[in-house]
Amino acid sequence: MILSDSNIIKIFDTTLRDGEQTPGISLTPEEKVQIAIQLDKLGVDTIEAGFPITSKGESEAVKNIAELGLKSEICGLARAEPRDIETALSCNVDLVHVFIATSDIHMKYKLKMDRDQVLKAARDMVKIVKDRGVPVEFSAEDACRSDPDFLIKVFQEVSNVGADRIDIADTVGIMNPTTMYELVSKVKQVIKRPISMHCHNDFGLATANSLAGMLAGAERIHVAINGLGERAGNAALEEVVMASQNLYQKKTNVNTKLIYETSKLVTRLTGIGPQPNKAIIGDNAFGHESGIHVHGIINMPITYEPLEPETVGRKRWIQAGKHAGTHGIKAQLEELGYNASEKQVKEILSRVKDLGDKGKKLTDVDLDSIARAILGKVSEERIIELVDISVMTGIKSTPTASVKVVMEEETFLASETGVGPVDAAIKAIQKISDKIAHIRLKDFKIDAITGGTDALGEVVIKVEDDEGNVATARSSHGDIVVASAEAMIDGINKILTKKKIAKPKAALPNP
Ligand code: KIV
Ligand code: ZN
């Protein structure tokens, strides 16, 4: 199908600029490059790589990204000030994003400029960039609290000196879909340049307001992975892309299957992850516990899933708990390799519910222990086995771990360094297991079971592979490095077994 331009929404990603302005986030130039490469792979149209005037490292990062030769357009932010503009231009970006505030509040209390001064600065700075042959996207900061007539006047003036695109920034997230639709419609009547939306999430409406702007004719939406950004963040890429495609039949150039891996990379590098119930990328977005829901899902996923998890690179999962039902427990037991009779499933379910009533949050390790107690140990196929581990650590030496592992009947040795011996041991194991599957730690908890220096350390981990298969594993040992390594090996075995069993998974039909 050939899509008309109006059917394609352009994605302007600001994870590396507004997203990095999230309190507490600070990325190194190397980390920024890593994220930019992933965003390019994801298919965003524009990567706002940073705010070059901020620091030497920031301008270096923007320059490095601009020189990678990515398909995405690379943009740098600049206030309407000569030194910002020069710094952005010196980074060889494809586009300069020039902004100045247009609301009376910002002009009076922040800029200490009157309307004429703001108008002149906007016009002059856009012209400088254009005279250097570089495209400009012009943003009116706090556009949505500005006098609409003045706002349009500024947009007209910058268009007259060549601004290529105009951005309406809801800087403090005070719009609602109705007011945003009206404002964008009003601007569109006069301004004949492509319009972008830049919505903040202070009232949880950033995605809704961006989509309202899109319905009024905006062609481009500013977004950030995981909804990162100042205060409550920006419109989330994953929400805007999936909602515009699925609810409004608009298309984007984003390869949605890469959304989850991009979200995980950003979480890992920024140290800030989404809440579990976050749409699309939260842990629970494709998780089910209640018996009624799981029954529906097993019969036909569309009953309780408006999106197939695979479209965003994820897998659905089922949680054992007090709301569980027989269908879900049976499916989970099968995933763990158990073939239980109806009577046995009921007995296991009753124990799961008892524990749930006591407030216990059950993992698949707990379900496995209950199943073992009732059904006996399942003959477990161990694809990977830990044979030996040794570590070296100290104040002056880099923690290093060496592991010996048998995998698919072949012996492998690997050494790795890490921030500590546990980190080094996990990395060394991964170095070997990467030969057959890319499995990474998602969660790691350690507890001392008994008191004293000889306490048993209990390690509970969650691991996940690239396809979104998740497994929990637990191990206890007097040596926490051994406990961690054993838990990791167990987790890897579980995922590998799951992948084997999941092959005839037509048991969960897709709509
Ligand atoms: O929120 C905002 O107003 C901004 C501008 C720089 C566009 O981030
Ligand atoms: Zn912003």
Side-chain angles (χ1 to χ4, degrees):
M1 183 171 63
I2 297 181
L3 295 160
S4 69
D5 267 4
S6 64
N7 249 343
I8 299 183
I9 289 298
K10 292 278 171 56
I11 297 297
F12 179 116
D13 184 278
T14 185
T15 308
L16 293 175
R17 199 278 298 168
D18 215 322
E20 204 198 350
Q21 285 171 221
T22 304
I25 295 185
S26 182
L27 296 163
T28 63
E30 294 73 31
E31 288 168 336
K32 293 190 75 142
V33 165
Q34 216 181 322
I35 293 175
I37 291 171
Q38 179 68 23
L39 290 171
D40 182 61
K41 205 168 109 192
L42 181 65
V44 304
D45 300 283
T46 306
I47 296 171
E48 185 163 45
F51 195 174
I53 195 75
T54 309
S55 69
K56 208 164 149 279
E58 179 76 348
S59 59
E60 191 185 300
V62 176
K63 193 161 192 271
N64 290 346
I65 293 168
E67 287 168 0
L68 286 172
L70 301 177
K71 288 186 294 310
S72 309
E73 168 188 68
I74 306 301
C75 158
L77 182 69
R79 287 169 299 186
E81 287 181 24
R83 61 194 183 106
D84 280 39
I85 304 273
E86 287 309 326
T87 313
L89 286 169
S90 72
C91 295
N92 300 331
V93 289
D94 301 318
L95 174 96
V96 179
H97 178 192
V98 179
F99 78 101
I100 191 163
T102 50
S103 69
D104 290 333
I105 301 172
H106 275 235
M107 288 189 286
K108 178 170 178 196
Y109 296 107
K110 185 186 77 173
L111 297 176
K112 317 245 183 272
M113 287 163 87
D114 62 23
R115 289 187 179 192
D116 286 341
Q117 289 169 313
V118 165
L119 199 59
K120 182 174 178 336
R123 197 176 43 219
D124 291 352
M125 295 306 115
V126 168
K127 189 165 181 319
I128 292 182
V129 184
K130 289 301 295 181
D131 286 349
R132 304 276 277 276
V134 177
V136 174
E137 175 152 337
F138 173 80
S139 276
E141 191 189 15
D142 209 16
C144 300
R145 288 192 299 183
S146 305
D147 166 4
D149 292 333
F150 177 61
L151 179 69
I152 288 176
K153 192 169 176 195
V154 176
F155 286 160
Q156 268 173 327
E157 293 278 330
V158 295
S159 303
N160 289 343
V161 290
D164 299 86
R165 311 196 300 236
I166 297 300
D167 174 48
I168 300 177
D170 185 12
T171 303
V172 290
I174 44 77
M175 297 300 263
N176 65 52
T178 310
T179 54
M180 187 59 98
Y181 185 89
E182 285 166 1
L183 177 64
V184 176
S185 304
K186 193 171 171 148
V187 172
K188 278 289 270 185
Q189 276 172 14
V190 186
I191 304 298
K192 301 300 169 206
R193 301 278 164 164
I195 303 288
S196 302
M197 303 307 310
H198 180 101
C199 298
H200 278 271
N201 205 29
D202 298 71
F203 288 91
L205 291 174
T207 298
N209 290 339
S210 304
L211 297 171
M214 172 188 84
L215 290 181
E219 291 89 349
R220 183 172 276 94
I221 303 183
H222 289 202
V223 293
I225 299 286
N226 298 350
L228 292 176
E230 293 273 8
R231 307 179 310 283
N234 286 85
L237 176 142
E238 58 277 8
E239 294 173 11
V240 166
V241 169
M242 296 317 287
S244 50
Q245 290 193 185
N246 289 279
L247 308 179
Y248 296 93
Q249 284 66 54
K250 298 277 183 184
K251 297 279 172 202
T252 67
N253 293 317
V254 168
N255 177 355
T256 61
K257 289 201 164 71
L258 301 181
I259 285 181
Y260 189 51
E261 71 171 54
T262 310
S263 159
K264 284 197 298 179
L265 175 74
V266 171
T267 298
R268 183 161 62 77
L269 295 181
T270 59
I272 296 191
Q275 80 265 19
N277 58 336
K278 166 82 183 59
I280 319 287
I281 43 118
D283 275 356
N284 296 351
F286 297 97
H288 309 273
E289 177 179 324
S290 113
I292 298 169
H293 284 222
V294 172
H295 187 191
I297 288 286
I298 287 173
N299 287 340
M300 183 55 84
I302 201 173
T303 49
Y304 289 103
E305 277 176 2
L307 276 179
E308 283 178 47
E310 290 76 12
T311 52
V312 291
R314 300 199 64 178
K315 283 257 160 44
R316 70 178 60 87
W317 57 274
I318 297 168
Q319 168 78 46
K322 77 171 187 183
H323 306 105
T326 47
H327 294 90
I329 293 294
K330 190 165 186 302
Q332 276 189 279
L333 289 171
E334 278 166 10
E335 278 217 343
L336 291 170
Y338 293 99
N339 191 1
S341 69
E342 215 171 294
K343 191 166 163 257
Q344 287 167 326
V345 171
K346 281 199 176 129
E347 199 179 336
I348 292 168
L349 177 64
S350 141
R351 292 209 196 175
V352 164
K353 283 182 181 280
D354 279 352
L355 287 169
D357 278 339
K358 290 185 182 112
K360 174 122 175 79
K361 188 175 175 293
L362 274 92
T363 63
D364 49 0
V365 181
D366 301 308
L367 182 62
D368 195 48
S369 318
I370 298 171
R372 274 173 201 224
I374 291 173
L375 306 171
K377 195 174 183 329
V378 72
S379 62
E380 232 174 44
E381 196 187 349
R382 304 279 294 178
I383 298 164
I384 176 165
E385 204 65 79
L386 183 67
V387 180
D388 201 6
I389 181 163
S390 61
V391 292
M392 186 197 76
T393 189
I395 295 173
K396 293 204 171 130
S397 51
T398 311
T400 308
S402 303
V403 295
K404 185 174 179 185
V405 160
V406 172
M407 189 170 68
E408 293 178 321
E409 289 162 24
E410 214 184 311
T411 303
F412 296 90
L413 295 168
S415 294
E416 269 295 337
T417 56
V419 288
V422 170
D423 185 44
I426 300 291
K427 282 186 179 148
I429 292 170
Q430 282 168 345
K431 199 171 179 181
I432 298 172
S433 61
D434 273 358
K435 294 183 202 298
I436 52 171
H438 191 258
I439 298 169
R440 289 290 174 266
L441 264 187
K442 195 172 151 64
D443 225 344
F444 178 94
K445 282 195 192 80
I446 183 157
D447 274 320
I449 301 180
T450 50
T453 50
D454 59 350
L456 269 189
E458 187 191 50
V459 173
V460 179
I461 60 154
K462 210 183 230 182
V463 286
E464 185 174 27
D465 72 357
D466 284 344
E467 293 161 24
N469 288 302
V470 177
T472 315
R474 175 185 290 155
S475 179
S476 29
H477 197 280
D479 182 329
I480 56 163
V481 180
V482 176
S484 308
E486 282 179 351
M488 185 68 194
I489 290 283
D490 230 34
I492 294 173
N493 271 312
K494 283 188 176 171
I495 296 240
L496 295 175
T497 311
K498 237 182 212 187
K499 279 160 102 85
K500 263 194 165 175
I501 298 170
K503 290 239 165 81
K505 209 172 184 179
L508 295 191
N510 279 318

